[in-house]
Amino acid sequence: MASATMMRVGASSSSFAGKGLSCRSSPVSSAPVRPAVVTVEAKRVCQLTGKKRNKANVVTFSNKHNRKWQEPNLQHKKVFWEAGKRWVKLRICTKAIKTIERVGLDAMAAEAGINLWKLPFEDARPERLTYLAANQGKVPVASNPRAIKNQAKIAASTKKPRYPVYEEGGRIVWIKPGMEELIFGSSSSAAAAAAEPEQPAELKITVSE
C-alpha cells in the first residue's frame, strides 16, 4: 500500500518545474523621522563695545579654584539716533549706555563698524507721527493701476469690492462690506474702534479706616 502511494506521488509532475522563483521584500511603511529641534542662543556680546564673557575662578576657603564664567550685563535698549530721527534697537552692556551719553551713538557705531540704517528701529519723524495719528486704524494700500476709472460703470456695478482692515491680533484681512459683524462683532463698534483711540483704564483706590 505504501509503495503504491509512493509510486503515485512520484508519477505526479509539479507545475513549477523549470520556473525560477524570486522573493522580494515588501517595503515596510515607517513613520517619518522628525529632525531634532536645536535651540541656538544668541552670542552674548555687546554690539557697540564688543564686550563678552570672561573666565574667572571661584576660590573657596580651602583655596580650591573652580572655573566659572562672568557674563556681561547685556540689556535690550532703544537708543534715539538724532541723524536718522529714529529709535534704534540695540543689545548693549551697561558700560556702553554710559559711553553713549559721553561720546555719542554715531561715533561708537562707526568704531564698531555697524550700519545704523540696517538695524531694527521705530520711526520718530514728526511727519510720520502726524500721518499715523491722522490715519489710525487705516490700512495703507497701494494704488491699483488696473482699477475702473469710469464712474458710471462703478455706480452701475453690483459687485462690492473688498477692503483691508486690521484684525484683533494685528493681522490684515480683506473683507467685503457687511462682514464687519463677523470680524468685530458689530459695524458700529468697528467704526468706533477705528475712529477713537483706546483710553487707558482708570485705577481707583479707596482707603477705608
Side-chain angles (χ1 to χ4, degrees), residues 135-200:
N135 300 276
Q136 188 174 11
K138 183 180 178 181
V139 181
V141 181
S143 59
N144 184 11
R146 300 180 61 185
I148 302 174
K149 298 181 175 61
N150 192 342
Q151 298 296 329
K153 288 185 178 180
I154 295 175
S157 177
T158 57
K159 294 182 179 179
K160 296 181 180 180
R162 297 186 300 172
Y163 63 95
V165 293
Y166 285 114
E167 213 177 10
E168 186 176 351
R171 190 179 61 171
I172 298 174
V173 293
W174 290 76
I175 64 174
K176 291 184 178 180
M179 295 179 60
E180 293 84 357
E181 294 184 0
L182 298 176
I183 304 298
F184 303 103
S186 65
S187 58
S188 59
S189 62
E196 300 179 2
E198 295 183 359
Q199 299 293 334

Side-chain angles (χ1 to χ4, degrees), residues 54-81:
N54 181 38
K55 284 184 179 179
N57 290 314
V58 178
V59 183
T60 62
F61 180 76
S62 58
N63 203 26
K64 290 182 180 179
H65 289 63
N66 300 318
R67 182 57 58 88
K68 73 169 184 177
W69 290 102
Q70 291 177 340
E71 300 286 351
N73 187 8
L74 296 181
Q75 305 290 331
H76 292 275
K77 286 291 181 180
K78 291 190 297 183
V79 185
F80 185 73
W81 182 29

Side-chain angles (χ1 to χ4, degrees), residues 5-208:
T5 306
M6 290 176 64
M7 290 175 63
R8 196 180 305 130
V9 171
S12 61
S13 60
S14 176
S15 60
F16 296 101
K19 295 182 180 180
L21 300 177
S22 61
C23 298
R24 295 181 181 178
S25 59
S26 60
V28 180
S29 61
S30 59
V33 180
R34 296 183 178 179
V37 179
V38 180
T39 56
V40 180
E41 293 185 0
K43 196 174 181 180
R44 296 184 60 84
V45 178
C46 178
Q47 289 182 284
L48 294 179
T49 61
K51 187 176 182 181
K52 50 189 175 182
R53 65 181 184 174
N54 181 38
K55 284 184 179 179
N57 290 314
V58 178
V59 183
T60 62
F61 180 76
S62 58
N63 203 26
K64 290 182 180 179
H65 289 63
N66 300 318
R67 182 57 58 88
K68 73 169 184 177
W69 290 102
Q70 291 177 340
E71 300 286 351
N73 187 8
L74 296 181
Q75 305 290 331
H76 292 275
K77 286 291 181 180
K78 291 190 297 183
V79 185
F80 185 73
W81 182 29
E82 186 67 29
K85 299 294 182 182
R86 57 176 63 183
W87 293 90
V88 183
K89 299 179 182 179
L90 293 165
R91 193 185 189 198
I92 53 180
C93 60
T94 51
K95 184 178 180 180
I97 297 174
K98 300 176 183 178
T99 311
I100 288 173
E101 297 176 356
R102 179 170 49 88
V103 178
L105 181 61
D106 292 290
M108 294 193 69
E111 185 179 354
I114 296 176
N115 188 358
L116 296 175
W117 292 104
K118 295 184 178 180
L119 294 178
F121 69 96
E122 288 185 8
D123 204 341
R125 293 174 297 169
E127 56 270 19
R128 179 61 178 172
L129 298 177
T130 305
Y131 172 82
L132 293 177
N135 300 276
Q136 188 174 11
K138 183 180 178 181
V139 181
V141 181
S143 59
N144 184 11
R146 300 180 61 185
I148 302 174
K149 298 181 175 61
N150 192 342
Q151 298 296 329
K153 288 185 178 180
I154 295 175
S157 177
T158 57
K159 294 182 179 179
K160 296 181 180 180
R162 297 186 300 172
Y163 63 95
V165 293
Y166 285 114
E167 213 177 10
E168 186 176 351
R171 190 179 61 171
I172 298 174
V173 293
W174 290 76
I175 64 174
K176 291 184 178 180
M179 295 179 60
E180 293 84 357
E181 294 184 0
L182 298 176
I183 304 298
F184 303 103
S186 65
S187 58
S188 59
S189 62
E196 300 179 2
E198 295 183 359
Q199 299 293 334
E202 296 182 358
L203 180 62
K204 295 182 179 179
I205 301 175
T206 58
V207 180
S208 58

